[in-house]
Amino acid sequence: MDEFNKENVAKKLLDKFVKAGASDVVININEDDSQQVKFANSKIAITQSWTTEKADIFVAVGKKVVGTTLKDFSETAIEEAVGKIMKFANATQPNEDYEGIATGPFNYKEVEETYDSKIASMDEKAVDLTIAGINAAVDNGVKRTAGVFESTTFNSYLLTSNDVEASEKGTKLYFSLRALIDKYASGHCVSNSRILSKFNPEQDGKDAAETAKLAQNPSAGEDGVYDVLFEPLPFSNILQQIGEASSIFNVESHLSCFTGKLNQQVAASDVTITDQGNLPNGFSSGKFDAEGVPTKATTLVENGILKNYLHNTSTAKRHKTQTTANAGLIAPNPSNIMFNNGKLNKEEIISNIKKGLIVTNVWYTRFQNYSTGDFSTIPRDGMFMVENGKITGAVKELRISENLINILKNVAVIGSESKQVFGWEVDLPVTTPPVLVKDVHLTKSVA
């Protein structure tokens, strides 16, 4: 990664904003080196790489707050940006809920498995890893594959007007593959890791191919109430909504099914859900949040009881509590959502299902009512009927119509092996095992 002096740029911006009358300033400068390999019809279609340098800027003048991004660091651009931002901040309406940013300094601990020099210098190996995933799927019987491989190396430097200074570097790997045999017979898997040794696109290619093969010759499903085994990919989609519902911003905005439910039962008694900003190998893990507070783990749901909302410094002051290190300077954000493990593996769970479905993927998750948690989502790729502990065939044309809290309260069995999921439909990293949920409502749908 080509060097430019992040520290000097940040200090220059901070000094100019303070002299112009800003009361709170946060400057976060990021440098990213990225590679991308796209493939279609089981062949490499595009390879590209790029470098980006940007400064995310947050400025408060009293209770008037502004956020923006700067990508030009010339003297002229900096002067113009400071002038425009301060003019806009002074003209905007006060945010009466704003209570300031964290005051440092802080001590930081390195987060394990978030940087790998092998990723930072991988170059052509990106294509090799992609081909390995493609070949694993093709060798297992699929006709074609499509997807993407991405790698990123980044450096971040944070400086605030409240005596916070922090920096870190990190790496990320992401692989998404769809394996297809025909219109209805397909499978989808993703791999996400911060270190190379825990990245396995070959296994994902095999898993996607296996799903696609099982999905051949599906029959139209029937309306009804089913016990559903959600594999990690679709259950992550649901848990992402749970993570977002835990933000105090959504709670206060009545966009959360958790509003007014603190210390109440919202899930089955064996369900524990955690947000962990310092999770080893977590896809969104880092040493500090957006205002420089050291990251940590926060229990959201413990033994079925809602224990905490997610806060930044400002919202925590208003609620007379402590920040959970989830800034988001405007709104607290979850980082890495974790669902607890159970005792049975996937095969053992299936063997105990008398009659139900296995859902391997979903898309088009849409809410009818955020405040109650009513939503629908469409199963995608392989969906399978299970009878007396055995998969008896593939199913198509069903839609899940449910409620988030009903899903959590109806958790019946939790799997023993977790997977981290991040991707197109799940842009909040989630780590979860497969989970069996009883009494899930499904209706007819043509996807």
Side-chain angles (χ1 to χ4, degrees):
M1 183 175 287
D2 293 335
E3 285 292 330
F4 87 108
N5 198 312
K6 299 184 293 296
E7 292 84 352
N8 284 349
V9 171
K11 290 173 182 177
K12 185 180 297 184
L13 282 164
L14 178 61
D15 182 65
K16 290 182 180 296
F17 279 119
V18 171
K19 287 181 178 177
S23 48
D24 293 330
V25 184
V26 179
I27 309 292
N28 190 352
I29 297 184
N30 288 282
E31 299 174 275
D32 294 352
D33 272 351
S34 300
Q35 287 181 282
Q36 185 183 74
V37 181
K38 291 184 177 181
F39 56 98
N41 296 316
S42 301
K43 295 182 179 180
I44 303 298
I46 298 172
T47 61
Q48 55 186 337
S49 61
W50 63 93
T51 298
T52 58
E53 298 167 348
K54 66 173 184 175
D56 293 320
I57 300 170
F58 174 86
V59 173
V61 180
K63 288 182 175 288
K64 299 178 178 182
V65 297
V66 175
T68 191
T69 298
L70 181 65
K71 295 182 179 180
D72 185 347
F73 301 112
S74 66
E75 288 286 346
T76 301
I78 289 174
E79 289 286 350
E80 289 180 354
V82 171
K84 289 180 180 179
I85 292 168
M86 289 302 298
K87 183 178 180 180
F88 186 76
N90 282 304
T92 196
Q93 291 295 314
N95 178 356
E96 298 300 338
D97 290 334
Y98 177 70
E99 296 292 343
I101 58 176
T103 299
F106 297 106
N107 294 318
Y108 301 102
K109 293 182 179 180
E110 295 293 333
V111 181
E112 295 179 4
E113 299 181 343
T114 54
Y115 176 80
D116 188 342
S117 60
K118 293 179 180 178
I119 296 175
S121 60
M122 72 179 345
D123 297 324
E124 294 84 3
K125 190 172 178 60
V127 172
D128 296 337
L129 288 168
T130 305
I131 292 173
I134 293 171
N135 288 343
V138 172
D139 291 345
N140 279 274
V142 302
K143 292 185 177 180
R144 58 191 178 93
T145 63
V148 65
F149 168 93
E150 295 174 349
S151 69
T152 301
T153 302
F154 67 87
N155 282 285
S156 179
Y157 178 76
L158 181 77
L159 187 69
T160 84
S161 56
N162 278 15
D163 203 19
V164 174
E165 184 176 14
S167 63
E168 65 181 337
K169 61 182 179 180
T171 51
K172 293 184 177 183
L173 293 171
Y174 167 68
F175 179 72
S176 173
L177 179 144
R178 293 195 74 221
L180 301 102
I181 294 176
D182 58 39
K183 178 180 178 180
Y184 293 108
S186 60
H188 187 194
C189 281
V190 296
S191 270
N192 316 283
S193 183
R194 303 291 296 272
I195 59 173
L196 190 57
S197 63
K198 292 188 175 182
F199 185 66
N200 194 348
E202 286 187 70
Q203 185 61 52
D204 282 293
K206 293 177 183 177
D207 291 344
E210 185 63 29
T211 298
K213 287 190 291 185
L214 286 172
Q216 294 181 86
N217 303 313
S219 58
E222 297 295 330
D223 288 7
V225 179
Y226 294 85
D227 291 349
V228 174
L229 177 59
F230 291 94
E231 293 197 353
L233 188 59
F235 204 61
S236 293
N237 191 294
I238 293 170
L239 290 176
Q240 170 177 269
Q241 316 304 326
I242 297 299
E244 292 173 353
S246 301
S247 169
I248 191 64
F249 178 85
N250 289 324
V251 170
E252 292 180 324
S253 302
H254 296 280
L255 296 172
S256 167
C257 58
F258 288 159
T259 300
K261 292 185 171 62
L262 201 61
N263 297 316
Q264 295 181 22
Q265 184 178 3
V266 296
S269 60
D270 55 350
V271 169
T272 294
I273 304 172
T274 306
D275 180 78
Q276 187 169 351
N278 59 356
L279 175 69
N281 196 37
F283 213 64
S284 285
S285 290
K287 293 190 293 185
F288 47 87
D289 71 1
E291 55 183 322
V293 178
T295 53
K296 62 178 183 177
T298 299
T299 300
L300 303 176
V301 176
E302 183 176 34
N303 298 327
I305 306 298
L306 181 64
K307 290 292 188 179
N308 291 291
Y309 298 132
L310 300 176
H311 287 278
N312 59 22
T313 295
S314 178
T315 64
K317 285 182 179 179
R318 286 193 290 103
H319 287 268
K320 296 180 173 56
T321 187
Q322 300 295 313
T323 176
T324 57
N326 285 95
L329 292 157
I330 303 299
N333 297 315
S335 51
N336 302 290
I337 295 296
M338 299 187 66
F339 197 89
N340 62 291
N341 285 345
K343 296 181 179 179
L344 301 181
N345 63 34
K346 176 183 168 183
E347 290 71 25
E348 290 171 326
I349 296 174
I350 294 172
S351 70
N352 287 293
I353 299 174
K354 288 188 177 180
K355 185 174 183 179
L357 296 170
I358 300 173
V359 174
T360 67
N361 195 12
V362 294
W363 63 346
Y364 293 118
T365 300
R366 301 291 185 266
F367 276 80
Q368 289 74 52
N369 190 322
Y370 280 98
S371 65
T372 61
D374 296 329
F375 75 97
S376 66
T377 190
I378 301 174
R380 187 188 194 195
D381 303 311
M383 177 169 54
F384 308 106
M385 178 65 71
V386 179
E387 296 175 287
N388 298 318
K390 297 185 182 297
I391 296 175
T392 57
V395 182
K396 64 179 180 178
E397 297 175 3
L398 288 176
R399 176 192 299 270
I400 296 169
S401 299
E402 258 303 340
N403 174 275
L404 286 181
I405 291 182
N406 285 349
I407 291 284
L408 292 181
K409 285 186 174 182
N410 287 337
V411 168
V413 184
I414 302 172
S416 58
E417 299 177 9
S418 289
K419 180 171 183 174
Q420 180 173 221
V421 175
F422 174 85
W424 175 47
E425 287 279 336
V426 185
D427 56 11
L428 165 64
V430 175
T431 300
T432 182
V435 175
L436 179 66
V437 180
K438 64 184 180 181
D439 299 336
V440 178
H441 291 81
L442 288 100
T443 57
K444 297 286 287 185
S445 172
V446 178

